[in-house]
């Protein structure tokens, strides 16, 4: 029995040290050497089980409309995620959790109109982000602040609204011109009088009204109350003055009405 104890121990250790096999390639995809190609497969969601050794995931030209929470936790070493030409309109705030190694993210040619800063918090290593040809009208400063390592940002083809809400993006572009290859082609779409006006052509003075100290909610409530009281007071005043005028006109027409003595009929 002692003769078998040595080899059995070695075999057990080898089995323990052996890496677990990666999940099989999804049936709708093609996998090779760390690349997972799921393009043009009529997918309406991210495949639930992906190879854990995947470094590049191609999901373009499908019908994915929503990225659900923790959609990519099975691919912790993913470096490139490509999702162009889908129907993507919503990204859950925790959809990209687990993608701390991700370097490139392509979300172009989708229906994204709003982006939450929390969505990009897990992407500490992201260097390239493509948001071109979506429905973005503005881009909050918080979104870009969560990506300190960003080196390339693509924003072309979005319907930018050049109001005060464009100030965070304009300010970021002013300090990061070298990171936006097509910065000169970023143009206002709305309002109509600024259509095709380059965003980078605005000066700091253009945003002077936007930089004033905003009023607090208490101020707005006070102004609303004062306005309401003024409105009611004006109605009461107008009603009172109208009554006085009517009585005055009535008295002018019958000046002797109150002087007429009382008489009894039949005498």
């Amino acid at each position: 029995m002692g003769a078998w104890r040595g080899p059995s121990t070695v075999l057990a250790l080898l089995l323990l040290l052996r890496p677990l096999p990666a999940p099989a390639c999804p049936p709708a995809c093609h996998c090779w050497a760390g690349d997972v190609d799921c393009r043009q497969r009529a997918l309406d969601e991210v495949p639930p089980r992906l190879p854990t050794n995947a470094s590049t995931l191609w999901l373009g030209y499908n019908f994915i409309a929503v990225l659900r929470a923790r959609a990519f936790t099975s691919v912790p070493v993913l470096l490139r995620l490509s999702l162009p030409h889908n129907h993507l309109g919503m990204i859950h705030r925790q959809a990209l959790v687990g993608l701390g190694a991700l370097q490139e993210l392509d979300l172009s040619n989708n229906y994204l109109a709003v982006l939450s800063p929390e969505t990009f918090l897990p992407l500490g290593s992201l260097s390239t982000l493509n948001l071109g040809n979506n429905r973005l009208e503005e881009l909050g400063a918080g979104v870009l602040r969560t990506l300190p390592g960003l080196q390339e940002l693509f924003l072309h083809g979005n319907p930018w609204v050049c109001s005060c809400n464009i100030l965070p993006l304009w300010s970021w572009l002013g300090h990061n011109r070298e990171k936006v290859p097509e910065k000169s082609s970023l143009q206002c779409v709305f309002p109509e009088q600024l259509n095709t006006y380059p965003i980078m052509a605005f000066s700091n003075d253009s945003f002077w009204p936007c930089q004033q100290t905003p009023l607090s909610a208490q101020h707005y409530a006070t102004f609303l109350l004062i306005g309401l009281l003024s409105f009611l007071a004006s109605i009461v005043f107008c009603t009172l003055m109208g009554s006085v005028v009517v009585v005055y006109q009535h008295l002018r027409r019958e000046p002797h009405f109150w002087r007429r003595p009382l008489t009894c009929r039949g005498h």
Side-chain angles (χ1 to χ4, degrees):
M1 293 295 293
W4 292 99
R5 198 170 288 175
S8 299
T9 303
V10 173
L11 181 60
L13 288 173
L14 290 175
L15 290 174
L16 288 173
L17 294 175
R18 181 183 178 184
L20 294 175
C25 186
C29 307
H30 179 62
C31 305
W32 76 98
D35 279 20
V36 181
D37 190 354
C38 306
R39 289 173 289 189
Q40 294 182 305
R41 302 293 182 175
L43 299 175
D44 57 6
E45 64 178 358
V46 177
R49 292 181 61 82
L50 295 164
T52 56
N53 65 339
S55 58
T56 302
L57 176 58
W58 308 93
L59 287 167
Y61 298 91
N62 284 294
F63 302 102
I64 301 172
V66 177
L67 289 185
R68 306 187 186 280
R70 302 180 178 274
F72 303 98
T73 52
S74 64
V75 283
V77 297
L78 195 68
L79 300 178
R80 288 170 291 277
L81 175 57
S82 178
L83 277 157
H85 295 279
N86 275 274
H87 294 175
L88 198 57
M90 190 185 79
I91 303 178
H92 191 278
R93 293 181 178 181
Q94 295 185 343
L96 305 178
V97 168
L99 294 181
L102 194 69
Q103 297 177 4
E104 299 177 16
L105 175 59
D106 186 356
L107 298 171
S108 63
N109 294 281
N110 279 288
Y111 303 143
L112 294 171
V114 178
L115 293 174
S116 169
E118 295 180 25
T119 300
F120 299 99
L121 275 176
L123 309 183
S125 301
L126 195 70
S127 59
T128 301
L129 174 60
N130 192 342
L131 296 172
N133 294 305
N134 275 279
R135 296 180 177 180
L136 297 170
E137 297 180 355
E138 61 186 73
L139 194 61
V143 173
L144 299 173
R145 278 200 298 264
T146 60
L147 300 171
L150 197 62
Q151 297 301 317
E152 278 189 308
L153 177 63
F154 298 92
L155 297 169
H156 57 277
N158 282 285
W160 303 111
V161 176
C162 290
S163 63
C164 287
N165 292 335
I166 205 71
L167 176 57
L169 175 59
W170 174 84
S171 180
W172 188 90
L173 290 172
H175 293 88
N176 299 273
R177 294 173 180 265
E178 73 285 354
K179 298 180 181 180
V180 186
E182 79 289 341
K183 54 184 175 294
S184 59
S185 64
L186 299 181
Q187 298 177 340
C188 308
V189 175
F190 303 103
E192 185 177 353
Q193 59 268 30
L194 291 176
N195 188 23
T196 70
Y197 190 84
I199 294 177
M200 292 303 298
F202 287 108
S203 65
N204 191 57
D205 292 339
S206 302
F207 294 97
W208 179 81
C210 307
Q211 297 171 352
Q212 302 304 302
T213 303
L215 296 175
S216 65
Q218 184 177 1
H219 287 132
Y220 283 115
T222 302
F223 292 147
L224 180 62
L225 181 60
I226 292 175
L228 179 60
L229 292 176
S230 300
F231 176 70
L232 294 176
S234 64
I235 292 178
V236 173
F237 178 77
C238 291
T239 302
L240 180 60
M241 291 301 297
S243 300
V244 171
V245 170
V246 169
V247 171
Y248 176 73
Q249 293 292 341
H250 183 71
L251 291 176
R252 287 192 59 186
R253 290 175 185 174
E254 299 185 17
H256 305 294
F257 176 79
W258 298 105
R259 300 178 185 178
R260 195 173 298 170
L262 294 176
T263 57
C264 297
R265 294 184 180 181
H267 294 278

